[in-house]
């Protein structure tokens, strides 16, 4: 028997928000469709009060008027999960953008929604479950290979209780809508399991045995991050910075080299030019694991700032749900959101239309809880199979004028485990990555010894103090001991903190090489040098810096690397002997 359609009238239109007067039951976050001519525009219930519901509309409301009808679906805002997600570019509602463009042309048509996954593609299925077995939601029926990823076909996560497996498909090739298994519930009713399932994006996937404390360092191969401001597998971090500070290049470097099985990019509300840059350049990035395109194990969720703000807000939740889904397979996923400031601005706009009491800078009073709720969906978990999986979340923040005191940055800093603050001063000086070594911090464990790290940080702090002092009293008024500390801090900055992302060797430094490099640099920092004058000291450190920098571009333990290492040791020993 077909379910009766629930249709209610619009009583108010305010930008991309409509108000509906209802006589039937409606739910928070329920999906509805507003009719404009022959088009049906997707909406979501964001507030229910009395007999009225406010809905945010995911497309232009042009042409909508009081009296038009809205059809309620009874479903929460959900996305489709299954094989074929990797390599895709979606919008915030999980419409595949390439197919949408192919169907609509240069200008996307309103009210066009496509299925997220290819119904025609064939996948080679390998069964795992046996008839007669008892299974629960999230248990594995079988798997298909999605590129290099083993994609498990699971009992739908939205189901509840236990089921008895009656049938399992034999090994072979199937499309995603074919029946992979038939299970019976405790009443004896049978249910079919296909390769796909749906999950509401604003509810975290928590079908695991326990959530663990993130302790293992996520190696990104970026020395400044892994050594000084590490990120943990299953942890959270943010990269605030002004426009032009190198966020996109850093994001590409992290996604390319981080120890993650799946990468999800959420381009939520960035300018169209920057999103186009991501779409053009990202597929060209080489995956060091496979030698193929990084796109083969990535998903891009794309909403530009010119798209409706509601879709921008949905894109963040769509991205994190996809990341959680792959975590259920025992994989390590990395979600990079760029930028959460634009997402927060979407919240601010909807809050204004709802006429809520504004907080600081007109952001909603619940901004902190929304940001915390997003980052709390990260985590390292142990599945019921005993495997571990993780979601690591990194959010770019774009504070106006690089002001880290604004509400979005401050709310983010309260919940993340690492703060990688990008500096206009460093980017202007072409010191990349432009992560400020004194303002940034991390609560996670580094790849190097903590005592050596603390000493290196003290050199950076003291060097910065001497640098500020020299700007006032000049170099001639500075004691040579202080000047040597300043030269050591500059040496550390140039040879270790700065990294050439575009070089095949220096662009990615693994943990083992970082430890060796840092031990060599730390040895220089701890060495007691004596120089007759500042000019001699400057010349020595400039020459030593060049030797270290040249070595950074050489593959480890090659003849050239070994020769240069010997030359470095000889130079330090000669200087020590000369001034003994």
């Amino acid at each position: 028997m077909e379910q009766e359609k629930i249709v209610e009238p619009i009583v108010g239109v305010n930008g991309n928000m409509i108000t509906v007067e209802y006589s039937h039951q409606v739910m928070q976050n329920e999906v509805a469709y507003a009719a404009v001519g022959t088009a049906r525009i997707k909406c979501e219930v964001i507030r229910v009060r009395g007999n009225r519901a406010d809905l945010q509309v995911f497309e232009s409301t042009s042409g909508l008027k009081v009296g038009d009808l809205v059809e309620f679906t009874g479903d929460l805002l959900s996305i489709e999960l299954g094989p074929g997600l990797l390599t895709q570019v979606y919008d915030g509602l999980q419409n595949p953008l390439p197919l949408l463009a192919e169907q609509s042309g240069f200008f996307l048509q309103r009210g066009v929604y496509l299925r997220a996954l290819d119904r025609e593609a064939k996948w080679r299925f390998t069964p795992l479950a046996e008839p007669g077995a008892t299974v629960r939601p999230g248990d594995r029926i079988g798997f298909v290979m999605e590129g290099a990823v083993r994609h498990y076909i699971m009992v739908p996560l939205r189901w509840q209780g236990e089921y008895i497996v009656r049938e399992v498909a034999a090994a072979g090739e199937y499309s995603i809508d074919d029946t992979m298994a038939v299970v019976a519930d405790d009443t004896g009713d049978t249910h079919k399991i296909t390769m796909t399932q749906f999950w509401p994006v604003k509810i975290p996937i928590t079908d695991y045995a326990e959530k663990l404390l993130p302790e293992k360092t996520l190696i990104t191969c970026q020395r400044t991050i892994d050594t000084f401001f590490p990120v943990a597998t299953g942890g959270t971090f943010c990269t605030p910075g002004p426009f032009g500070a190198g966020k996109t290049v850093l994001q590409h470097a992290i996604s390319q080299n981080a120890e993650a099985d799946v990468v999800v990019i959420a381009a939520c509300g960035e300018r169209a030019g920057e999103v186009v840059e991501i779409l053009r350049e990202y597929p060209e990035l080489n995956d060091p694991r496979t030698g193929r395109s990084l796109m083969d194990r990535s998903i891009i969720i794309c909403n530009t700032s010119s798209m409706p703000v509601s879709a921008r807000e949905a894109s963040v939740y769509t991205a994190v749900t996809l990341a959680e889904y792959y975590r259920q397979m025992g994989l390590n996923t990395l979600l990079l959101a760029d930028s959460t400031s634009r997402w927060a601005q979407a919240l601010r706009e909807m809050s204004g239309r709802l006429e809520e009491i504004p907080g600081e800078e007109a952001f909603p009073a619940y901004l902190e809880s929304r940001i915390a709720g997003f980052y709390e969906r990260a985590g390292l978990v142990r599945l019921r199979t005993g495997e571990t999986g993780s979601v690591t979340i990194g959010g770019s923040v774009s504070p106006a004028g690089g002001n880290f005191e604004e509400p979005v940055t401050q709310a983010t800093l309260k919940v993340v485990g690492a703060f990688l603050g990008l500096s206009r001063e460093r980017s202007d000086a072409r010191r990349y990555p432009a992560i400020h070594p004194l303002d940034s911090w991390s609560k996670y464990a580094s790849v190097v010894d903590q005592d050596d790290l603390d000493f290196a940080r003290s050199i950076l702090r003291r060097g910065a103090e001497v640098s500020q002092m020299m700007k006032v009293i000049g170099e001639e008024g500075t004691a040579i001991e202080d000047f040597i500390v300043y030269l050591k801090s500059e040496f550390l900055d140039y040879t270790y903190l700065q990294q050439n992302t575009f070089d095949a060797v220096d662009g990615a430094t693994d943990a083992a090489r970082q430890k060796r490099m840092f031990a060599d640099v730390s040895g220089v920092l701890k060495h007691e040098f004596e120089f007759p004058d500042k000019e001699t000291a400057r010349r020595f450190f400039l020459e030593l810096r060049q030797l270290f920098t040249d070595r950074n571009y050489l593959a480890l333990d090659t003849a050239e690397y070994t020769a240069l290492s010997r030359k470095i040791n000889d130079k330090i020993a000669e200087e020590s002997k000369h001034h003994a």
Side-chain angles (χ1 to χ4, degrees):
M1 183 176 175
E2 190 174 334
Q3 187 177 358
E4 182 187 353
K5 291 182 179 179
I6 299 175
V7 179
E8 307 288 3
I10 295 175
V11 296
V13 180
N14 181 8
N16 65 323
M17 188 187 81
I18 59 175
T19 302
V20 173
E21 198 166 82
Y22 63 89
S23 55
H24 298 76
Q25 185 176 358
V26 300
M27 295 183 295
Q28 181 79 0
N29 302 126
E30 182 177 353
V31 172
Y33 288 91
V36 184
T38 58
R40 296 170 74 244
I41 305 175
K42 201 168 190 176
C43 323
E44 179 193 16
V45 176
I46 56 174
R47 184 172 67 182
V48 179
R49 48 176 182 168
N51 67 335
R52 292 193 172 192
D54 297 314
L55 295 84
Q56 62 178 356
V57 186
F58 293 114
E59 300 199 59
S60 169
T61 55
S62 174
L64 270 181
K65 59 187 184 298
V66 172
D68 285 347
L69 298 179
V70 175
E71 179 186 335
F72 288 83
T73 64
D75 295 322
L76 298 177
L77 183 64
S78 304
I79 59 171
E80 188 173 20
L81 304 171
L85 291 167
L86 297 182
T87 75
Q88 292 292 337
V89 179
Y90 294 115
D91 68 3
L93 301 178
Q94 212 193 9
N95 291 302
L97 287 176
L99 291 181
L100 206 59
E102 189 179 304
Q103 180 171 320
S104 303
F106 287 109
F107 299 98
L108 301 184
Q109 298 172 12
R110 186 168 58 166
V112 177
Y113 307 106
L114 302 179
R115 295 293 295 270
L117 298 174
D118 187 349
R119 326 314 291 181
E120 305 299 325
K122 296 290 185 180
W123 301 91
R124 177 161 290 281
F125 175 75
T126 303
L128 293 175
E130 297 284 344
T134 300
V135 293
R136 293 168 51 190
D139 285 353
R140 298 162 180 177
I141 299 298
F143 69 88
V144 301
M145 292 306 297
E146 188 180 12
V149 171
R150 178 178 280 201
H151 190 122
Y152 288 104
I153 309 304
M154 297 177 273
V155 178
L157 297 160
R158 294 180 74 172
W159 291 7
Q160 294 181 342
E162 293 186 341
Y163 301 83
I164 304 297
V165 178
R166 292 280 176 84
E167 302 172 24
V168 179
E173 292 194 344
Y174 301 88
S175 64
I176 60 174
D177 290 327
D178 290 336
T179 300
M180 294 295 100
V182 177
V183 297
D185 58 24
D186 53 5
T187 65
D189 292 338
T190 58
H191 307 268
K192 294 180 179 179
I193 297 175
T194 66
M195 291 190 189
T196 70
Q197 57 177 301
F198 288 85
W199 184 264
V201 295
K202 293 188 177 177
I203 299 176
I205 298 176
T206 57
D207 191 31
Y208 44 77
E210 63 176 325
K211 199 166 189 176
L212 307 172
L213 189 67
E215 293 180 329
K216 182 187 174 186
T217 304
L218 174 70
I219 303 301
T220 66
C221 295
Q222 302 300 299
R223 296 190 293 266
T224 305
I225 298 176
D226 297 346
T227 300
F228 283 83
F229 313 109
V231 175
T233 300
T236 55
F237 66 98
C238 68
T239 53
F243 176 75
K247 286 196 295 292
T248 302
V249 175
L250 181 61
Q251 184 184 67
H252 285 178
I254 292 173
S255 57
Q256 188 175 11
N257 299 300
E259 292 181 340
D261 301 306
V262 173
V263 180
V264 182
I265 302 290
C268 48
E270 281 299 284
R271 284 174 285 269
E274 294 185 27
V275 174
V276 168
E277 186 181 340
I278 290 174
L279 295 179
R280 279 181 179 167
E281 294 184 5
Y282 196 86
E284 301 299 322
L285 295 178
N286 179 62
D287 184 356
R289 292 183 171 197
T290 63
R292 300 169 63 185
S293 169
L294 183 61
M295 197 66 200
D296 288 352
R297 59 179 175 93
S298 303
I299 309 171
I300 296 178
I301 311 297
C302 169
N303 272 97
T304 67
S305 55
S306 58
M307 293 180 178
V309 292
S310 307
R312 188 191 310 173
E313 192 228 2
S315 64
V316 171
Y317 294 107
T318 297
V320 75
T321 303
L322 291 171
E324 289 175 332
Y325 174 61
Y326 280 97
R327 178 174 67 185
Q328 285 299 122
M329 302 177 198
L331 300 173
N332 294 318
T333 61
L334 172 65
L335 166 59
L336 298 174
D338 186 13
S339 113
T340 56
S341 295
R342 309 282 186 261
W343 168 48
Q345 287 165 12
L347 293 176
R348 177 168 63 184
E349 183 167 332
M350 291 312 302
S351 176
R353 296 195 188 285
L354 290 168
E355 297 181 356
E356 296 172 333
I357 297 174
E360 188 180 353
E361 293 190 19
F363 285 103
Y366 48 79
L367 175 68
E368 287 189 11
S369 63
R370 288 286 178 89
I371 289 177
F374 167 63
Y375 281 101
E376 282 168 3
R377 292 178 70 166
L380 175 69
V381 302
R382 179 177 289 115
L383 305 176
R384 292 199 301 271
T385 61
E387 300 168 286
T388 58
S390 69
V391 172
T392 306
I393 297 181
S396 295
V397 187
S398 306
N403 174 25
F404 291 172
E405 300 302 316
E406 57 88 40
V408 180
T409 305
Q410 288 301 308
T412 304
L413 291 181
K414 291 178 182 178
V415 295
V416 296
F419 165 59
L420 313 178
L422 297 176
S423 161
R424 166 68 69 192
E425 178 188 355
R426 287 184 66 80
S427 65
D428 286 347
R430 298 294 182 266
R431 300 190 180 197
Y432 291 111
I435 299 170
H436 200 290
L438 299 179
D439 292 346
S440 304
W441 50 260
S442 173
K443 300 175 183 176
Y444 303 122
S446 172
V447 296
V448 302
D449 180 74
Q450 189 62 43
D451 290 339
D452 289 342
L453 183 59
D454 290 341
F455 182 78
R457 283 177 173 156
S458 71
I459 291 290
L460 286 171
R461 280 194 301 271
R462 289 166 57 199
E465 290 168 2
V466 174
S467 176
Q468 293 300 318
M469 182 176 66
M470 285 167 54
K471 290 177 182 176
V472 178
I473 64 174
E475 188 180 303
E476 61 278 0
T478 305
I480 192 166
E481 293 80 12
D482 290 337
F483 188 66
I484 291 173
V485 170
Y486 164 73
L487 291 175
K488 284 182 176 180
S489 71
E490 288 290 285
F491 168 79
L492 172 60
D493 192 339
Y494 276 91
T495 61
Y496 199 84
L497 298 183
Q498 293 181 51
Q499 197 167 346
N500 186 350
T501 310
F502 302 102
D503 182 76
V505 176
D506 196 41
T509 308
D510 61 27
R513 179 159 183 164
Q514 286 187 49
K515 290 176 183 177
R516 287 178 61 171
M517 285 180 65
F518 190 76
D520 291 345
V521 172
S522 188
V524 174
L525 300 181
K526 291 179 179 179
H527 196 90
E528 295 291 340
F529 291 102
E530 292 184 14
F531 298 99
D533 53 59
K534 292 171 187 167
E535 189 55 42
T536 305
R538 180 188 291 107
R539 190 184 314 113
F540 170 78
F541 275 101
L542 284 174
E543 292 173 358
L544 191 63
R545 180 205 299 178
Q546 190 61 52
L547 291 173
F548 268 80
T549 304
D550 290 344
R551 192 175 65 171
N552 290 349
Y553 291 92
L554 298 175
L556 210 58
D557 294 331
T558 58
E560 295 89 343
Y561 182 94
T562 304
L564 209 49
S565 297
R566 192 179 302 115
K567 194 172 181 180
I568 287 171
N569 293 333
D570 291 345
K571 185 165 187 63
I572 295 173
E574 179 187 347
E575 192 64 36
S576 302
K577 181 180 177 182
H578 185 69
H579 297 292

